[in-house]
């Protein structure tokens, strides 16, 4: 693939980075990324990935834009209240970069549709706010051999990590279940809508997720696979905690019991 004159201009600040160059930009233009959730995390992820020239971006979200979302979900605008989030986000991305392909899915990710959806993409971004979907993404991506860049938020804090133990060449790297074996019992961990979230904290973690997506797609720098980044916005500190594959993990351990999507364990 040869870059056009317009692409040389649009991506000039990438191309001048010797670690990126034409080769890196062409890799981004050839990449397909699916973002699960067009909310607080998905907003900066989607906007930066579109701006960066990811060739195909899928957006899956079954929700509609609500006035109370706008405090942090910056991909949506006041005029989009009431619109499906997948459509509203796709319209914003088209304004940022009309030269890429954006595919909105106005549906919920389920054990029934996850395999067909993931098959269309190289990398999955987890921008969800519920544990059932988080475990579904982890399990389905591992079984399909896809990388996941995962983010989570609560109040003034955020977390980020990457899973790619199912990807050829990365076997032995841990998954979400190695970190947190099973989902917490329902209603024991509050969601943003109950506990609150400082809007810009979503921007911090989502922007870091976008950074890791670009690095994973170009094979640059240190991976966050096997590393959990914990951001505390109050103390303004970042901690990086290493974790390993668990031999007893039901998904990626030595004797896995989760061998198909749908057997997602207690959710
Ligand atoms: Zn595991």
């Amino acid at each position: 693939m040869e870059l056009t004159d317009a692409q040389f201009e649009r991506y000039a600040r990438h191309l001048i980075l010797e670690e990126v160059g034409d080769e890196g930009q062409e890799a981004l233009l050839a990449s397909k990324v699916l973002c699960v959730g067009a909310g607080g995390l998905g907003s900066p992820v989607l906007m930066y990935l579109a701006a960066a020239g990811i060739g195909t971006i899928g957006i899956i979200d079954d929700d509609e834009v609500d006035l109370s979302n706008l405090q942090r979900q910056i991909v949506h605008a006041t005029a989009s209240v009431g619109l499906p989030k997948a459509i509203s986000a796709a319209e914003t991305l088209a304004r940022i970069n009309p030269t890429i392909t954006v595919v909105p899915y106005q549906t919920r990710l389920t054990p029934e549709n996850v395999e067909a959806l993931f098959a269309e993409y190289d990398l999955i971004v987890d921008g969800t706010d519920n544990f059932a979907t988080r475990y579904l993404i982890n399990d389905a991506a591992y079984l399909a051999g896809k990388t996941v860049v995962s983010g989570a938020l609560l109040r003034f804090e955020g977390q980020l990590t990457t899973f790619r133990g199912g990807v050829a060449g990365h076997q032995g790297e841990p998954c979400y279940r190695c970190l947190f074996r099973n989902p917490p019992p329902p209603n024991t961990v509050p969601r943003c809508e109950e506990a609150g979230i400082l809007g810009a904290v979503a921007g911090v973690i989502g922007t870091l997720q976008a950074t890791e997506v670009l690095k994973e797609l170009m094979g640059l720098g240190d991976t966050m696979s096997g590393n959990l980044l914990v951001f505390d916005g109050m103390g303004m500190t970042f901690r990086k905690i290493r974790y390993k594959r668990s031999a007893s993990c039901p998904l990626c351990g030595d004797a896995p019991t989760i061998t198909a999507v749908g057997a997602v364990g207690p959710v």
Side-chain angles (χ1 to χ4, degrees):
M1 185 170 55
E2 282 284 304
L3 295 174
T4 64
D5 288 349
Q7 286 174 323
F8 269 110
E9 192 170 350
R10 180 182 287 273
Y11 305 118
R13 301 300 182 277
H14 270 169
L15 299 171
I16 205 168
L17 293 167
E18 63 185 55
E19 295 84 349
V20 178
D22 289 18
E23 199 180 322
Q25 189 61 51
E26 285 166 14
L28 298 181
L29 288 164
S31 294
K32 298 181 170 188
V33 175
L34 178 67
C35 185
V36 185
L41 291 169
S43 288
V45 169
L46 288 164
M47 293 165 82
Y48 273 115
L49 295 187
I54 300 297
T56 304
I57 299 177
I59 309 168
I60 177 165
D61 199 308
D62 70 338
D63 206 2
E64 290 173 358
V65 181
D66 187 85
L67 190 58
S68 67
N69 298 149
L70 302 182
Q71 162 258 18
R72 65 198 177 284
Q73 301 183 14
I74 59 172
V75 77
H76 309 297
T78 306
S80 301
V81 169
L83 278 182
K85 284 188 183 179
I87 301 298
S88 163
E91 288 176 357
T92 300
L93 301 199
R95 283 195 292 273
I96 293 171
N97 190 348
T99 69
I100 60 165
T101 301
V102 179
V103 187
Y105 303 96
Q106 293 176 59
T107 184
R108 195 172 187 79
L109 194 73
T110 67
E112 289 71 39
N113 65 19
V114 69
E115 286 171 294
L117 276 164
F118 281 16
E120 297 290 318
Y121 293 90
D122 306 313
L123 185 149
I124 315 300
V125 177
D126 181 354
T128 59
D129 62 354
N130 73 85
F131 286 100
T133 310
R134 204 171 281 285
Y135 281 83
L136 176 63
I137 291 170
N138 177 68
D139 295 355
Y142 176 81
L143 294 168
K146 309 284 175 173
T147 298
V148 179
V149 176
S150 173
L153 300 170
L154 200 65
R155 290 171 46 79
F156 299 90
E157 295 173 11
Q159 296 181 354
L160 174 145
T161 187
T162 295
F163 311 113
R164 56 181 196 183
V167 178
H170 297 292
Q171 285 91 353
E173 297 182 19
C175 80
Y176 191 64
R177 287 183 188 273
C178 296
L179 196 54
F180 304 109
R181 180 61 46 91
N182 288 306
N187 306 320
T188 56
V189 178
R191 294 169 58 174
C192 285
E193 60 195 55
E194 300 143 7
I197 171 77
L198 192 71
V201 170
V204 172
I205 299 298
T207 303
L208 292 174
Q209 279 181 283
T211 306
E212 289 307 307
V213 169
L214 298 176
K215 285 168 57 194
E216 289 288 337
L217 293 172
M218 293 188 286
L220 293 182
D222 296 332
T223 185
M224 286 303 291
S225 178
N227 292 279
L228 179 69
L229 187 75
V230 180
F231 170 64
D232 169 11
M234 279 297 202
M236 198 46 76
T237 57
F238 289 92
R239 277 191 306 146
K240 204 164 153 184
I241 302 162
R242 286 187 185 281
Y243 63 98
K244 289 194 164 71
R245 173 181 163 273
S246 164
S248 62
C249 175
L251 180 69
C252 73
D254 295 341
T257 53
I258 300 168
T259 54
V261 173
V264 291
V267 292

